[in-house]
Amino acid sequence: MPVIESEEHKALRAAVSALGHKYGRAYFTRTVEEGRPATELWAEAAKLGYLGVNLPEEHGGGGGGISELSIVLEELGAAGCPLLLMVVSPAICGTVIARFGTEEQKRDWLPALADGTRTMAFGITEPDAGSNSHRITTTARRDPATGDWLLTGRKVFVSGVDIADATLIVGRTEDARTGSLKPCLFIVPRDTPGFQRRKIDMELNASEKQFELTLDDVRLPADALVGGGPSHAFGSGGEDAGLLQLFAGLNPERIMTAAFAIGMGRFALSRAVEYARDRTVWKAPIGSHQAIAHPLAQAHIDLELARLMMQKAAHLYDAGDDIGAGEAANMAKYAAAEACVRAVDQAVHTLGGNGLTREFGLASLITAARVSRIAPVSREMILNYVSHQTLGLPKSY
C-alpha cells in the first residue's frame, strides 16, 4: 500500500477542495436552515464526476474505488460542506449494485447514481435490533400466485428517504433448506404502496433528515431483489448472497463515515487555528501559548493518523481483500470518530464563547461529531470486534 498519495489523488483532492470552498460553510448552513438538501453542490459535484468516481466506467462512473470517493467526501467536509448522502447513495448502494446487481439493475441505477440524477437511501437499523443485526425482523415472503415479494417490517434512523428515489432495504427470507432466516437486500422505490415514512425529530443540523420506515406487506416485483433470484445465487447475487452483499456495503460505509468525520474535524481545526493565530489577548496571539497550541497540534496528529488507517482500509477494499478491509474499516471509523470529537471540542474551547456562536459555525458540529461515534456502528461494538476478531479474546456478546 502506498503511504504517499499519488499525483492523481493529490489532484483530485485539490479539485474537490476548490469546489467545496466555492460553496463554503455559509452555503451549507443556509441549506440546513431552509430544510433542503445541498442541491446545487450535489449537482455540480455530479457534473464534475465526483459522485460516481467509485462506480464502473461502463456504467457511467469514474472507474475508481472507495479510495477516490473517500477523498471527495473528506475534502467537501473540510470545506464545511459534508454530504452525508454520499456515504449512502454511491458508497453503499452503488457499491452493492455494482458488485452484485443484475445487469438490468446496473443499467437502471448506476448511471443515474453516478450523474446525481437519482439517489438511494439505505435501511438496516431496526428499533428492537439496534447493533444486533441477527435480530432484524423485516421479512420478505413470496406470493406464490405472482412471484412477487411481500416485505413487512420497520426501520429507524434512515437518512434522506424523502429525497431518495429508492431505499435499499435489508430484510430476511426463510431458507427453504434450513427454515432459518437469511439476509436479503431489496430495492424499494420511494412511492411504493405500503412504504410509509415518519420524520424523526432530531437535534441535529443536517441537510438529510432521519426517518422511521414502516413496511406493511409492501409488494415488490421479483427483480427488486438485488442480484435476482435463486438462479443468480452463486453468481451476481440473489437469495443466497445477501450476507456477502451486506458486508460489501458495510465496509465502504465505515470507510466513508471515517472520511466524513475526518473532514468535519479538519474544518473545525482550521477555524480554531485561524482564530488562535489572529486573536490577541495578552499582547500576543493566543496561539503562541502552549496551552492553546499543543491541544490543536495533538488534534491535527490524531486526524492525520486516522486518515492513514482510512486510506489503508480503502486500499484493502479496492484490492478485493474484504476480510482485511473489514478490520481496517472498523479501526478507521473508530479512530476518525475519536479524532473528530476531540478536534471539534478543542476548536470550540479555543474560541471560548465565540465557539458557541452561529458566526463561527462550530457549535452545531458538537452534536454532529458525536454521531460519528454512534453511527453506523458504536465505538463499543468496534472494540468488541477488534478484541474478538483481531486479538482472539473470548466473545463477549
Coordinates of all heavy atoms in Angstrom, one line a residue, residues 180-246:
S180 N -34.3 -21.4 8.6 CA -33.8 -20.2 9.3 C -33.9 -19.0 8.4 O -34.1 -19.1 7.1 CB -32.3 -20.4 9.7 OG -31.5 -20.6 8.6
L181 N -33.8 -17.8 8.9 CA -33.9 -16.6 8.2 C -32.5 -16.2 7.7 O -31.5 -16.3 8.4 CB -34.5 -15.5 9.0 CG -36.0 -15.7 9.4 CD1 -36.5 -14.6 10.3 CD2 -36.9 -15.8 8.2
K182 N -32.4 -15.7 6.5 CA -31.2 -15.2 5.9 C -31.4 -13.8 5.3 O -32.5 -13.5 4.9 CB -30.7 -16.2 4.8 CG -31.7 -16.4 3.7 CD -31.3 -17.5 2.8 CE -32.4 -17.7 1.7 NZ -32.1 -18.8 0.8
P183 N -30.3 -13.0 5.4 CA -30.5 -11.6 4.9 C -30.6 -11.5 3.4 O -30.0 -12.3 2.6 CB -29.2 -10.9 5.4 CG -28.2 -12.0 5.5 CD -29.0 -13.2 5.9
C184 N -31.4 -10.6 2.9 CA -31.6 -10.3 1.5 C -31.7 -8.7 1.4 O -32.2 -8.1 2.3 CB -32.8 -11.0 0.9 SG -32.5 -12.7 0.6
L185 N -31.3 -8.2 0.3 CA -31.4 -6.8 0.0 C -32.4 -6.5 -1.1 O -32.4 -7.1 -2.1 CB -30.1 -6.2 -0.3 CG -29.1 -5.9 0.8 CD1 -28.7 -7.1 1.5 CD2 -27.9 -5.1 0.4
F186 N -33.3 -5.5 -0.9 CA -34.4 -5.2 -1.8 C -34.3 -3.7 -2.1 O -34.1 -2.9 -1.3 CB -35.7 -5.5 -1.2 CG -36.0 -7.0 -1.0 CD1 -35.6 -7.6 0.2 CD2 -36.5 -7.8 -1.9 CE1 -35.8 -8.9 0.5 CE2 -36.8 -9.1 -1.7 CZ -36.4 -9.7 -0.5
I187 N -34.6 -3.4 -3.4 CA -34.7 -2.0 -3.9 C -36.2 -1.6 -3.8 O -37.0 -2.2 -4.5 CB -34.2 -1.9 -5.3 CG1 -32.7 -2.3 -5.4 CG2 -34.4 -0.4 -5.8 CD1 -32.1 -2.3 -6.8
V188 N -36.5 -0.7 -2.9 CA -37.9 -0.3 -2.7 C -38.0 1.2 -3.2 O -37.5 2.1 -2.5 CB -38.3 -0.4 -1.2 CG1 -39.7 0.0 -1.0 CG2 -38.0 -1.8 -0.7
P189 N -38.7 1.4 -4.3 CA -39.0 2.8 -4.7 C -39.7 3.6 -3.7 O -40.5 3.1 -2.9 CB -39.8 2.6 -6.0 CG -39.4 1.3 -6.5 CD -39.2 0.4 -5.2
R190 N -39.5 4.9 -3.7 CA -40.0 5.8 -2.6 C -41.5 5.8 -2.5 O -42.1 5.8 -1.4 CB -39.5 7.2 -2.9 CG -40.0 8.2 -1.8 CD -39.4 9.6 -2.1 NE -39.7 10.1 -3.5 CZ -39.0 10.9 -4.2 NH1 -37.8 11.3 -3.7 NH2 -39.4 11.3 -5.4
D191 N -42.2 5.8 -3.6 CA -43.7 5.9 -3.6 C -44.4 4.5 -3.7 O -45.6 4.5 -4.1 CB -44.1 6.8 -4.8 CG -43.6 8.2 -4.6 OD1 -43.5 8.7 -3.5 OD2 -43.2 8.8 -5.6
T192 N -43.7 3.4 -3.4 CA -44.3 2.1 -3.4 C -45.5 2.1 -2.4 O -45.3 2.4 -1.2 CB -43.3 1.0 -3.1 OG1 -42.2 1.1 -4.0 CG2 -43.9 -0.4 -3.2
P193 N -46.7 1.6 -2.8 CA -47.8 1.5 -1.8 C -47.4 0.6 -0.6 O -46.7 -0.4 -0.7 CB -48.9 0.8 -2.6 CG -48.6 1.2 -4.0 CD -47.1 1.2 -4.1
G194 N -47.7 1.1 0.6 CA -47.4 0.4 1.8 C -46.1 0.8 2.4 O -45.8 0.4 3.6
F195 N -45.3 1.6 1.7 CA -44.0 2.0 2.2 C -44.1 3.4 2.8 O -44.2 4.4 2.1 CB -43.0 2.0 1.0 CG -41.6 2.3 1.4 CD1 -41.0 1.7 2.5 CD2 -40.8 3.2 0.6 CE1 -39.6 2.0 2.8 CE2 -39.5 3.5 0.9 CZ -38.9 2.9 2.0
Q196 N -44.2 3.5 4.1 CA -44.5 4.7 4.8 C -43.3 5.2 5.6 O -42.5 4.4 6.1 CB -45.7 4.5 5.8 CG -47.0 4.0 5.0 CD -48.1 3.7 6.0 OE1 -47.9 3.6 7.2 NE2 -49.3 3.5 5.5
R197 N -43.2 6.5 5.7 CA -42.1 7.1 6.4 C -42.6 8.2 7.4 O -43.6 8.8 7.2 CB -41.1 7.7 5.5 CG -41.7 8.9 4.6 CD -40.6 9.5 3.7 NE -41.1 10.6 2.9 CZ -41.6 10.6 1.7 NH1 -41.8 9.4 1.1 NH2 -42.0 11.7 1.1
R198 N -41.9 8.3 8.5 CA -42.2 9.3 9.5 C -40.9 10.0 9.9 O -39.9 9.3 10.3 CB -42.8 8.7 10.8 CG -43.2 9.7 11.9 CD -43.7 9.0 13.1 NE -42.7 8.2 13.8 CZ -41.7 8.7 14.6 NH1 -41.7 10.0 14.9 NH2 -40.9 7.9 15.2
K199 N -40.8 11.3 9.8 CA -39.6 12.0 10.1 C -39.3 12.0 11.6 O -40.2 12.2 12.4 CB -39.7 13.5 9.7 CG -38.3 14.2 9.8 CD -38.4 15.6 9.1 CE -39.2 16.6 9.9 NZ -39.0 17.9 9.4
I200 N -38.1 11.7 12.0 CA -37.7 11.6 13.4 C -37.2 13.0 13.8 O -36.4 13.6 13.1 CB -36.6 10.6 13.7 CG1 -37.1 9.2 13.2 CG2 -36.2 10.6 15.1 CD1 -36.0 8.1 13.3
D201 N -37.7 13.6 14.9 CA -37.3 14.9 15.3 C -35.9 14.8 16.0 O -35.8 14.4 17.1 CB -38.4 15.5 16.3 CG -38.2 17.0 16.6 OD1 -37.4 17.6 15.8 OD2 -38.7 17.5 17.5
M202 N -34.9 15.3 15.2 CA -33.6 15.2 15.7 C -33.0 16.6 16.1 O -33.3 17.6 15.4 CB -32.7 14.6 14.6 CG -33.1 13.3 14.0 SD -32.8 11.9 15.1 CE -31.0 11.8 15.1
E203 N -32.2 16.6 17.1 CA -31.4 17.8 17.5 C -30.1 17.8 16.8 O -29.0 17.7 17.4 CB -31.3 18.0 19.0 CG -32.6 18.3 19.7 CD -32.4 18.7 21.1 OE1 -31.2 18.9 21.5 OE2 -33.3 19.0 21.9
L204 N -30.2 17.8 15.4 CA -29.0 17.6 14.6 C -29.2 18.5 13.4 O -30.2 18.4 12.6 CB -28.9 16.1 14.2 CG -27.8 15.7 13.3 CD1 -26.4 15.9 13.9 CD2 -27.9 14.3 12.8
N205 N -28.2 19.3 13.1 CA -28.2 20.2 12.0 C -27.6 19.5 10.8 O -26.4 19.3 10.7 CB -27.5 21.5 12.2 CG -28.2 22.4 13.2 OD1 -29.4 22.5 13.2 ND2 -27.4 23.1 14.0
A206 N -28.5 19.0 9.9 CA -28.0 18.3 8.7 C -29.0 18.5 7.6 O -30.2 18.6 7.8 CB -27.8 16.8 9.0
S207 N -28.5 18.5 6.3 CA -29.4 18.6 5.2 C -30.3 17.4 5.1 O -31.5 17.5 4.7 CB -28.6 18.8 3.9 OG -27.8 20.0 3.9
E208 N -29.8 16.2 5.4 CA -30.5 15.0 5.3 C -31.3 14.7 6.6 O -30.7 14.7 7.6 CB -29.6 13.8 5.0 CG -28.8 13.9 3.6 CD -27.5 14.7 3.8 OE1 -27.3 15.2 5.0 OE2 -26.8 14.9 2.8
K209 N -32.6 14.5 6.5 CA -33.4 14.2 7.6 C -33.4 12.7 7.9 O -33.1 11.9 7.1 CB -34.9 14.7 7.4 CG -35.0 16.1 6.9 CD -34.3 17.1 7.9 CE -34.4 18.5 7.4 NZ -33.6 19.4 8.2
Q210 N -33.7 12.4 9.2 CA -33.8 11.0 9.6 C -35.2 10.5 9.6 O -36.1 11.2 10.0 CB -33.1 10.8 11.0 CG -31.7 11.2 11.0 CD -30.8 10.3 10.2 OE1 -30.9 9.1 10.3 NE2 -30.0 10.9 9.4
F211 N -35.4 9.2 9.3 CA -36.8 8.7 9.2 C -37.0 7.3 9.8 O -36.0 6.6 9.9 CB -37.2 8.6 7.7 CG -37.4 9.9 7.1 CD1 -36.4 10.6 6.5 CD2 -38.7 10.6 7.1 CE1 -36.5 11.8 5.8 CE2 -38.8 11.8 6.5 CZ -37.8 12.4 5.8
E212 N -38.2 7.1 10.3 CA -38.6 5.8 10.7 C -39.5 5.3 9.5 O -40.3 6.0 9.0 CB -39.4 5.8 12.0 CG -40.0 4.4 12.3 CD -40.8 4.4 13.6 OE1 -40.9 5.5 14.2 OE2 -41.4 3.3 13.9
L213 N -39.2 4.0 9.1 CA -39.9 3.4 8.0 C -40.8 2.3 8.5 O -40.4 1.5 9.3 CB -39.0 2.9 6.9 CG -37.9 3.9 6.4 CD1 -37.0 3.2 5.3 CD2 -38.6 5.1 5.8
T214 N -42.0 2.2 7.9 CA -42.9 1.1 8.1 C -43.2 0.5 6.8 O -43.7 1.2 5.9 CB -44.2 1.6 8.8 OG1 -43.9 2.3 10.0 CG2 -45.1 0.4 9.1
L215 N -43.0 -0.8 6.7 CA -43.4 -1.6 5.5 C -44.5 -2.6 5.8 O -44.3 -3.5 6.7 CB -42.1 -2.3 5.0 CG -40.9 -1.4 4.6 CD1 -39.9 -1.4 5.8 CD2 -40.2 -1.9 3.4
D216 N -45.6 -2.4 5.3 CA -46.8 -3.2 5.6 C -47.2 -4.0 4.3 O -47.9 -3.5 3.4 CB -47.9 -2.3 6.0 CG -49.1 -3.1 6.5 OD1 -49.0 -4.4 6.6 OD2 -50.2 -2.5 6.7
D217 N -46.6 -5.2 4.2 CA -46.9 -6.0 3.0 C -46.6 -5.3 1.7 O -47.4 -5.2 0.8 CB -48.3 -6.6 3.0 CG -48.4 -7.9 3.7 OD1 -47.4 -8.5 4.1 OD2 -49.5 -8.5 3.9
V218 N -45.5 -4.6 1.7 CA -45.1 -3.9 0.5 C -44.8 -4.9 -0.6 O -43.9 -5.8 -0.5 CB -43.8 -3.0 0.8 CG1 -43.3 -2.4 -0.5 CG2 -44.1 -2.0 1.8
R219 N -45.6 -4.7 -1.7 CA -45.4 -5.6 -2.8 C -44.4 -5.2 -3.8 O -44.4 -4.0 -4.3 CB -46.8 -5.8 -3.5 CG -46.8 -6.8 -4.7 CD -48.1 -6.9 -5.3 NE -49.0 -7.6 -4.4 CZ -49.1 -8.9 -4.3 NH1 -48.4 -9.7 -5.1 NH2 -50.0 -9.5 -3.4
L220 N -43.4 -6.0 -4.0 CA -42.3 -5.7 -4.9 C -42.2 -6.8 -6.0 O -42.4 -8.0 -5.7 CB -41.0 -5.7 -4.1 CG -40.9 -4.7 -3.0 CD1 -39.6 -4.9 -2.1 CD2 -40.9 -3.2 -3.5
P221 N -41.8 -6.4 -7.2 CA -41.6 -7.4 -8.2 C -40.4 -8.3 -7.9 O -39.6 -7.9 -7.1 CB -41.4 -6.5 -9.5 CG -40.8 -5.2 -9.0 CD -41.5 -5.0 -7.6
A222 N -40.3 -9.4 -8.6 CA -39.3 -10.3 -8.3 C -37.9 -9.7 -8.5 O -36.9 -10.0 -7.8 CB -39.4 -11.6 -9.2
D223 N -37.8 -8.8 -9.5 CA -36.5 -8.2 -9.8 C -36.1 -7.1 -8.8 O -35.1 -6.4 -9.0 CB -36.4 -7.7 -11.2 CG -37.5 -6.6 -11.5 OD1 -38.1 -6.2 -10.6 OD2 -37.6 -6.2 -12.7
A224 N -36.9 -6.9 -7.7 CA -36.5 -5.9 -6.7 C -35.4 -6.5 -5.8 O -34.7 -5.8 -5.1 CB -37.7 -5.5 -5.9
L225 N -35.2 -7.8 -5.8 CA -34.2 -8.5 -5.0 C -32.8 -8.2 -5.7 O -32.7 -8.5 -6.9 CB -34.5 -10.0 -4.9 CG -33.4 -10.8 -4.2 CD1 -33.3 -10.5 -2.8 CD2 -33.7 -12.3 -4.5
V226 N -31.9 -7.7 -5.0 CA -30.6 -7.4 -5.5 C -29.9 -8.7 -6.0 O -29.8 -9.6 -5.2 CB -29.7 -6.7 -4.5 CG1 -28.3 -6.5 -5.1 CG2 -30.2 -5.3 -4.2
G227 N -29.5 -8.7 -7.2 CA -28.9 -9.9 -7.7 C -29.8 -10.9 -8.4 O -29.4 -11.9 -9.0
G228 N -31.1 -10.7 -8.3 CA -32.1 -11.6 -8.9 C -32.4 -12.8 -8.0 O -32.1 -12.8 -6.8
G229 N -33.0 -13.8 -8.5 CA -33.5 -15.0 -7.8 C -32.5 -16.1 -7.6 O -31.3 -15.9 -7.8
P230 N -32.9 -17.3 -7.2 CA -32.0 -18.4 -6.9 C -31.0 -18.7 -8.1 O -29.9 -19.2 -7.8 CB -33.0 -19.5 -6.6 CG -34.2 -18.9 -6.2 CD -34.3 -17.6 -7.0
S231 N -31.5 -18.5 -9.3 CA -30.6 -18.8 -10.4 C -29.3 -18.0 -10.4 O -28.3 -18.3 -11.0 CB -31.3 -18.6 -11.7 OG -31.6 -17.2 -11.9
H232 N -29.3 -16.8 -9.7 CA -28.1 -16.0 -9.6 C -27.4 -16.2 -8.3 O -26.4 -15.5 -8.0 CB -28.6 -14.5 -9.7 CG -29.2 -14.1 -11.0 ND1 -30.6 -14.3 -11.2 CD2 -28.7 -13.6 -12.1 CE1 -30.9 -13.9 -12.4 NE2 -29.8 -13.5 -13.0
A233 N -27.8 -17.2 -7.5 CA -27.3 -17.3 -6.1 C -25.8 -17.4 -6.0 O -25.2 -16.9 -5.1 CB -28.0 -18.4 -5.4
F234 N -25.2 -18.1 -7.0 CA -23.7 -18.3 -6.8 C -23.0 -17.4 -7.8 O -21.8 -17.6 -8.1 CB -23.4 -19.7 -7.0 CG -24.1 -20.6 -6.0 CD1 -25.2 -21.4 -6.4 CD2 -23.7 -20.6 -4.7 CE1 -25.9 -22.1 -5.4 CE2 -24.3 -21.4 -3.8 CZ -25.5 -22.2 -4.1
G235 N -23.7 -16.4 -8.4 CA -23.0 -15.5 -9.4 C -23.1 -14.1 -8.9 O -22.3 -13.7 -8.0
S236 N -24.0 -13.3 -9.4 CA -24.0 -11.9 -9.0 C -24.8 -11.6 -7.8 O -24.7 -10.5 -7.3 CB -24.7 -11.1 -10.2 OG -26.0 -11.6 -10.4
G237 N -25.6 -12.5 -7.2 CA -26.3 -12.2 -6.0 C -27.4 -13.2 -5.8 O -27.3 -14.3 -6.0
G238 N -28.6 -12.6 -5.3 CA -29.7 -13.4 -5.1 C -30.0 -13.8 -3.7 O -29.3 -13.2 -2.8
E239 N -30.9 -14.7 -3.4 CA -31.3 -15.1 -2.1 C -30.2 -15.6 -1.2 O -30.2 -15.5 0.0 CB -32.4 -16.1 -2.2 CG -33.7 -15.5 -2.8 CD -34.8 -16.6 -2.8 OE1 -35.2 -17.1 -1.8 OE2 -35.2 -16.9 -4.0
D240 N -29.2 -16.3 -1.8 CA -28.1 -16.9 -1.1 C -26.9 -16.1 -1.0 O -25.8 -16.5 -0.5 CB -27.8 -18.3 -1.7 CG -28.9 -19.3 -1.5 OD1 -29.6 -19.2 -0.5 OD2 -29.1 -20.1 -2.4
A241 N -26.9 -14.9 -1.4 CA -25.8 -14.0 -1.4 C -26.0 -12.7 -0.6 O -25.1 -11.8 -0.6 CB -25.4 -13.6 -2.9
G242 N -27.1 -12.7 0.2 CA -27.4 -11.5 0.9 C -26.3 -11.1 1.9 O -26.1 -9.9 2.1
L243 N -25.7 -12.1 2.6 CA -24.7 -11.7 3.6 C -23.5 -11.1 2.9 O -22.9 -10.1 3.5 CB -24.3 -13.0 4.4 CG -23.6 -12.8 5.7 CD1 -24.5 -11.9 6.6 CD2 -23.3 -14.1 6.3
L244 N -23.1 -11.6 1.8 CA -22.0 -11.1 1.1 C -22.3 -9.6 0.6 O -21.5 -8.7 0.7 CB -21.6 -11.9 -0.2 CG -21.0 -13.3 0.1 CD1 -20.9 -14.1 -1.2 CD2 -19.7 -13.2 0.8
Q245 N -23.5 -9.4 0.1 CA -23.9 -8.1 -0.3 C -23.9 -7.1 0.8 O -23.5 -6.0 0.7 CB -25.3 -8.2 -0.9 CG -25.5 -9.0 -2.2 CD -26.9 -9.2 -2.6 OE1 -27.8 -8.7 -2.0 NE2 -27.1 -10.1 -3.6
L246 N -24.4 -7.6 2.0 CA -24.5 -6.7 3.1 C -23.1 -6.2 3.6 O -22.9 -5.0 3.8 CB -25.2 -7.4 4.3 CG -25.4 -6.6 5.6 CD1 -26.2 -5.4 5.3 CD2 -26.1 -7.5 6.6

